[in-house]
Amino acid sequence: MYNSQIHKFLRTTAAIVLTACIHVSAQSIHVKDFQAIPNDGQDDAKGIQDALNYAKANHIATILFDSGRYDLLQVSAAGLNAYTGLTSYAGLHLQGAVSTDHTPATWLVKKNPQQNNTVLPPHMRFDQCSNLVMENLVFDNDPQYATAGTVVEKDSSHVVVEVFDGLPAVNGMGCYTANIWDSATRMLKQVPSLTFVDDVATQQLYWQLETQGQKNYMRMNNARFAARLTVGDVVSWHFGGETMFQVAINNCNDLVLRNISMVNIAGFGIHTYACKNITAQQIVFKATGRQLAVGPRDAWKINSCNGLVAIDSMYVEGVRWDGQNVHSSFFQVKEKLAYNKMRVWKRYTGITPFLNDSIGLWNGNNVVNKMPVAWQPEPAGDGGIYGVITLQDSLPGFVQAGTLLTVYDWDIDEYRLSHTAFRNIAGCAGVIKCTKARLQQVSYDHIMYPALVLGTEITTHNEATFPQDVVIRECSFNASGWVPRIGKAGLVGVGNSGTEAMAIGTIQFDHCTFSNAPVGIDASGIKLLKITNNHFISVNQSFKVNNSNTGQVIFENNTEK
C-alpha cells in the first residue's frame, strides 16, 4: 500500500514534467566526451567539471548525462568548495536521463567517509547562473549518511539494535538526529526525537559495533537513551547533523528544477539563496530500500529569495528538521546615528544587495516603509554582520535599539505550493516566513512539530518576515504537532517567537481537513484568522487563540466530528 502510493504520486506528476521539458539546444555537449562515464567506479567529478567549464568558455547551453551512476570522489570546483559547480554563466541546462517510468535515471553519488559529523561539500553549486535548468537527476551518498535497525535487546543500562541488511554500521558511529518508528507501519512514533546534534558529544551517544555472522549489531551503553526505547522499536539515525548543502544555488535568477530526487542527504538537501523567480516540479526527498530517514536537516531551504516561487508536485518524507523553510533575515537596529542613519545588525554574515526596494520598520503591530539609499558594511560580530543604512528621508520617531527591519528585496513576492505531500518528518513540514503565500492541495501526515508553522522566529536565527497574506486551500493535516514549536502544539501553528506583537496579517484556511490531533490551529500574534468550510475530524479543539494578541477570528461553515 505504502509503495503503491508513492508510485502513483510519481506517475501522476510525470505527465506534467514531460509536457514542460525544454527541447535540447542544437548546441549541446555530453559529459561522456569529458571522460565522465557512468557505472565505471572512477571519479566523474572532474569530467563533469570539465564539461561545465567548456560549456561556459564556448557559450554552450546544454550538458547531457546518460543513465547510471556518476561517482563524485574528488572536489573539482575548489573555488566553490563543491564537487562540481560554476559561477557567472547564464542559460545553463543540465539534463539527465529518465527511466521508463519517467523518474530520473542519472545518479550523482558523493563519497561519504563515514566519519562523525563531517561537513561534506555539495554535489553541485552554482552562483550567479541565471536561467539555470536542472532536470532528471538523483543525488545520493555512498555509503549513505543514515542507518536504521530494530531494537532486539535492552535493560536499564544499554540497548542493542540489529542493523538492517545493507545499511551502514561503523564502530564509534555517533547517534545523531535519531528517531523511533513503528515496525509494522514504518510511520514515525508520536514521541520526541531521541537525539539532536550537540547532545551526542555531551551525553556520549556513540555506538559499539558487534558482528555475529552476517549480522551487524550496534550497542549503546547509555541509561538515558535505553530508557526511551522498547524491544521491537525501529530506530533511525545519521552520521551527523552539520549544515552543508547537497545542492547549493546562489543568486541564480529564473531558476528551473524538474524531476529531481534526493534519496539520501548529508546536511541540507537543496539550498536556494537570493534567487529571483523559482519554478520547480516533481522534487522528491525519500529514502530508498530499508532506510527510513532521508536526511538529518531540512529538505529544501528557500532563503532570501525574491519574485515568484512556484513549486508543484513535491514529495518530502523522512527529514529530521523542516521539509521546506521559506524565510529571509531581519535587520535589527542597534543605534540611531543621524536623522536618516542607523547602525543595524543581522544574524550570519551572508548579505546581498537590497537598495532596489524599500525596507519595512516595525513599530509593534505595524510597519512603516522607507527607501534606503546607502549601505556601509562594518566588521562582523555577535554571530552576524553590522552596517549603516542611510534612508532617503528621516527615520520614523519610534525607531530605537531592537526595532526590526524587513528587507523586501529579500522577501518572496509570492510563494506557491501545490499538489505536494509531506510525511514522517521529525520537525515541521513547512515553515513560512514570507509576506504572501498560496498553498493548495498539500497534505501533511505524521509531522512531529506543527505540520505548518506561519510566523517568524526572531530567537536564535533572526529569520524574517511576518506573513501578511496567506491562503491555504484544500489541504489536509493529520496526526501532527505532538511536540511544540514556537510555543504552538496544534496541527498548524500561527505565531512568532521573540515578540508578542500582533504583526501577522491575514491567514485563511478554506476547504481543508484537520484530523487526529488534540488541537487543529493554535494561533497568536495575528490580526485576522479566517477558518471557513473546513472539516475537523477527531480533533478535540478546532482552534485556540491567545486573546491578548489575536485580532478577529472568523469561524464559519466548518464541520466538527
Side-chain angles (χ1 to χ4, degrees), residues 20 127 129 251 319 341 407 413 430 531:
D127 292 1
C129 292
N251 298 97
V319 290
K341 287 187 179 182
V407 180
D413 296 342
I531 307 169

Side-chain angles (χ1 to χ4, degrees), residues 306 354-359 370-372 407-409 411 413:
N306 203 319
F354 61 91
L355 300 180
N356 295 319
D357 203 346
S358 61
I359 60 175
K370 294 285 185 176
M371 194 68 196
V407 180
Y408 294 115
D409 253 338
D411 184 34
D413 296 342

Side-chain angles (χ1 to χ4, degrees), residues 177-477:
T177 63
N179 288 282
I180 308 175
W181 304 71
D182 184 278
S183 60
T185 64
R186 290 174 63 96
M187 302 293 286
L188 274 176
K189 280 197 169 183
Q190 293 195 16
V191 296
S193 293
L194 289 170
T195 65
F196 299 90
V197 180
D198 294 340
D199 53 351
V200 172
T202 59
Q203 298 180 29
Q204 292 298 294
L205 298 170
Y206 298 98
W207 295 102
Q208 297 177 11
L209 175 63
E210 300 175 351
T211 301
Q212 299 179 20
Q214 300 298 313
K215 293 291 185 180
N216 288 324
Y217 296 86
M218 300 293 255
R219 174 184 290 268
M220 178 73 72
N221 295 317
N222 185 289
R224 292 180 62 186
F225 187 80
R228 299 181 62 186
L229 290 163
T230 301
V231 171
D233 281 342
V234 172
V235 185
S236 67
W237 67 93
H238 294 85
F239 277 98
E242 294 294 338
T243 54
M244 187 57 79
F245 316 106
Q246 295 206 154
V247 174
I249 303 173
N250 306 305
N251 298 97
C252 295
N253 296 338
D254 301 307
L255 170 68
V256 177
L257 302 175
R258 281 197 296 264
N259 207 21
I260 303 293
S261 180
M262 292 208 170
V263 299
N264 184 254
I265 298 172
F268 285 76
I270 300 173
H271 186 233
T272 44
Y273 174 69
C275 300
K276 183 174 183 178
N277 301 324
I278 300 172
T279 302
Q281 286 183 320
Q282 200 176 357
I283 312 299
V284 176
F285 300 85
K286 179 185 177 297
T288 55
R290 303 206 68 181
Q291 290 280 24
L292 294 167
V294 66
R297 302 296 306 217
D298 298 6
W300 183 355
K301 180 184 284 288
I302 299 175
N303 182 359
S304 300
C305 292
N306 203 319
L308 173 64
V309 174
I311 300 167
D312 186 73
S313 303
M314 181 167 66
Y315 186 92
V316 184
E317 178 168 4
V319 290
R320 164 56 189 90
W321 255 274
D322 302 327
Q324 189 154 72
N325 192 344
V326 183
H327 72 89
S328 63
S329 297
F330 281 117
F331 275 124
Q332 283 190 5
V333 174
K334 291 300 180 180
E335 60 177 327
K336 292 182 181 180
L337 299 176
Y339 81 97
N340 67 338
K341 287 187 179 182
M342 54 190 164
R343 175 167 286 111
V344 298
W345 171 89
K346 70 172 287 293
R347 175 74 67 185
Y348 309 120
T349 56
I351 191 165
T352 59
F354 61 91
L355 300 180
N356 295 319
D357 203 346
S358 61
I359 60 175
L361 295 101
W362 287 92
N363 182 20
N365 303 341
N366 302 304
V367 65
V368 174
N369 295 331
K370 294 285 185 176
M371 194 68 196
V373 294
W375 160 251
Q376 179 61 49
E378 295 183 341
D382 301 324
I385 186 170
Y386 283 89
V388 175
I389 294 177
T390 302
L391 299 182
Q392 194 173 61
D393 54 17
S394 61
L395 289 164
F398 61 81
V399 172
Q400 60 184 333
T403 297
L404 296 173
L405 279 70
T406 291
V407 180
Y408 294 115
D409 253 338
W410 303 343
D411 184 34
I412 292 170
D413 296 342
E414 183 172 338
Y415 168 71
R416 298 178 189 168
L417 181 66
S418 57
H419 308 105
T420 287
F422 296 94
R423 192 171 186 262
N424 283 330
I425 294 175
C428 292
V431 180
I432 296 177
K433 304 164 187 166
C434 59
T435 297
K436 183 176 181 180
R438 297 290 183 269
L439 281 65
Q440 186 160 4
Q441 295 186 27
V442 181
S443 66
Y444 304 84
D445 187 19
H446 277 74
I447 313 298
M448 187 178 78
Y449 297 141
L452 181 63
V453 165
L454 304 158
T456 67
E457 291 179 277
I458 300 167
T459 53
T460 308
H461 297 297
N462 211 47
E463 292 178 349
T465 186
F466 301 104
Q468 298 300 309
D469 177 10
V470 179
V471 178
I472 298 148
R473 183 170 283 118
E474 299 172 354
C475 296
S476 64
F477 303 88

